[in-house]
Amino acid sequence: STAITLVDVEKTYHGDGVVTRALQSVTLTLDKGQFTAILGPSGSGKTTLLTLIGTLDRPTAGTIRYGDVDVLALKGKRIADFRFEHIGFVFQQFHLLPALTALENVMAPLFSRKVSYDKKARARELLAWVGLEAKSDALPSQLSGGEQQRVAIARALVNRPDWLLADEPTGNLDTRNSENIVKLLRTYQQEHGSGIVLITHDQTLADQADRIIEMRDGRIVSDSGKETG
Ligand code: ADP
Ligand code: ADP
């Protein structure tokens, strides 16, 4: 796994004649294997930051590196391949494919990918890991919200990414399910040495992270936590 470094990152949106400076001079290093929570009010730039870290969009200015790799220099298929190798995503809306079973959803990122392992066996292993072995053949509509999010987590982890980026993954879940989801993320971090970046509104969940970054008006206004080196 590798550290992620952002230097002087800016993001400005131009839409309907409105200019929004969503991120302003963000400089940040996320150490490999670290569990970071991002807190902040709605509109403070959290999702924009996660989207840039995840290479799903490009900053208006600044640099983003994974270790020595300048991800902004990667284009087209190379950025898609980089993402597949290194990053898993989890969202508030689970974004499962409704016509596919739980197992097929977990396998979906592997479609048309060449990998060194057995895809179905790997997907089964991940579903078992999130406690849903018995629901392999269920459709998303037959699963609870907590179960759907566990399928989404299994899907995000199916290629064992170095980084898991989660945008309000517990936003639609009750306290018990939310705590279970964060526990799963924590366990993955510890078993696999992967880093986690979690956006949450919930201070109690954020308190379980190694580091808490607070955003306001597109800037980092506080950054606290244990040093992990
Ligand atoms: P948060 O995740 O903290 O709620 P966002 O990163 O979603 O914040 O948004 C930061 C600011 O950027 C907000 O003012 C939002 O309206 C604006 N914004 C986000 N995405 C877009 C977009 N695609 N086009 C225009 N403005 C956007
Ligand atoms: P290998 O890396 O040699 O394939 P394993 O598959 O047994 O070895 O996994 C190595 C470690 O990773 C073990 O501690 C195992 O519990 C853990 N592990 C395996 N699969 C996962 C997973 N999907 N998510 C998190 N940890 C996992």
Side-chain angles (χ1 to χ4, degrees):
S1 121
T2 53
I4 303 175
T5 310
L6 286 76
V7 179
D8 293 334
V9 166
E10 312 264 333
K11 182 68 180 181
T12 304
Y13 293 109
H14 300 265
D16 296 331
V18 181
V19 176
T20 305
R21 300 192 68 190
L23 290 179
Q24 300 186 52
S25 36
V26 171
T27 292
L28 173 67
T29 297
L30 300 167
D31 293 328
K32 66 174 189 172
Q34 192 174 49
F35 187 166
T36 300
I38 300 180
L39 279 170
S42 184
S44 59
K46 304 182 299 296
T47 294
T48 299
L49 179 61
L50 204 74
T51 301
L52 297 185
I53 291 172
T55 75
L56 296 172
D57 196 5
R58 301 171 65 80
T60 309
T63 60
I64 303 177
R65 290 176 182 278
Y66 277 64
D68 295 333
V69 178
D70 173 4
V71 292
L72 301 178
L74 302 176
K75 300 279 158 64
K77 189 179 180 318
R78 291 178 63 212
I79 193 67
D81 290 347
F82 182 88
R83 237 180 264 135
F84 176 70
E85 285 302 326
H86 296 284
I87 312 170
F89 295 95
V90 182
F91 305 97
Q92 178 170 359
Q93 317 294 342
F94 320 118
H95 294 308
L96 298 177
L97 295 166
L100 301 187
T101 66
L103 187 68
E104 290 164 346
N105 266 285
V106 177
M107 289 177 74
L110 306 177
F111 181 71
S112 84
R113 290 272 171 194
K114 265 183 87 161
V115 292
S116 61
Y117 49 85
D118 183 274
K119 293 177 181 179
K120 199 166 196 174
R122 173 66 70 89
R124 284 193 188 288
E125 180 192 332
L126 267 293
L127 263 186
W129 186 79
V130 300
L132 289 176
E133 211 164 15
K135 305 274 179 152
S136 296
D137 297 329
L139 293 171
S141 59
Q142 298 170 313
L143 299 173
S144 72
E147 288 171 338
Q148 289 184 59
Q149 193 58 297
R150 278 145 68 198
V151 173
I153 288 174
R155 176 183 59 185
L157 301 182
V158 74
N159 197 43
R160 304 229 175 109
D162 306 328
W163 286 94
L164 180 71
L165 308 183
D167 192 346
E168 293 271 7
T170 63
N172 284 328
L173 304 179
D174 62 20
T175 304
R176 183 181 58 88
N177 275 303
S178 297
E179 284 170 357
N180 284 337
I181 292 297
V182 173
K183 215 175 283 171
L184 268 181
L185 302 184
R186 187 51 122 173
T187 304
Y188 179 71
Q189 178 210 18
Q190 286 167 354
E191 288 183 357
H192 208 258
S194 296
I196 296 180
V197 185
L198 168 74
I199 294 179
T200 181
H201 275 110
D202 186 330
Q203 181 75 48
T204 312
L205 296 181
D207 286 341
Q208 296 176 45
D210 300 319
R211 176 181 185 182
I212 300 177
I213 290 174
E214 263 192 271
M215 302 204 50
R216 205 140 304 179
D217 300 330
R219 296 177 187 274
I220 294 173
V221 292
S222 84
D223 184 348
S224 67
K226 336 187 229 293
E227 293 295 322
T228 58

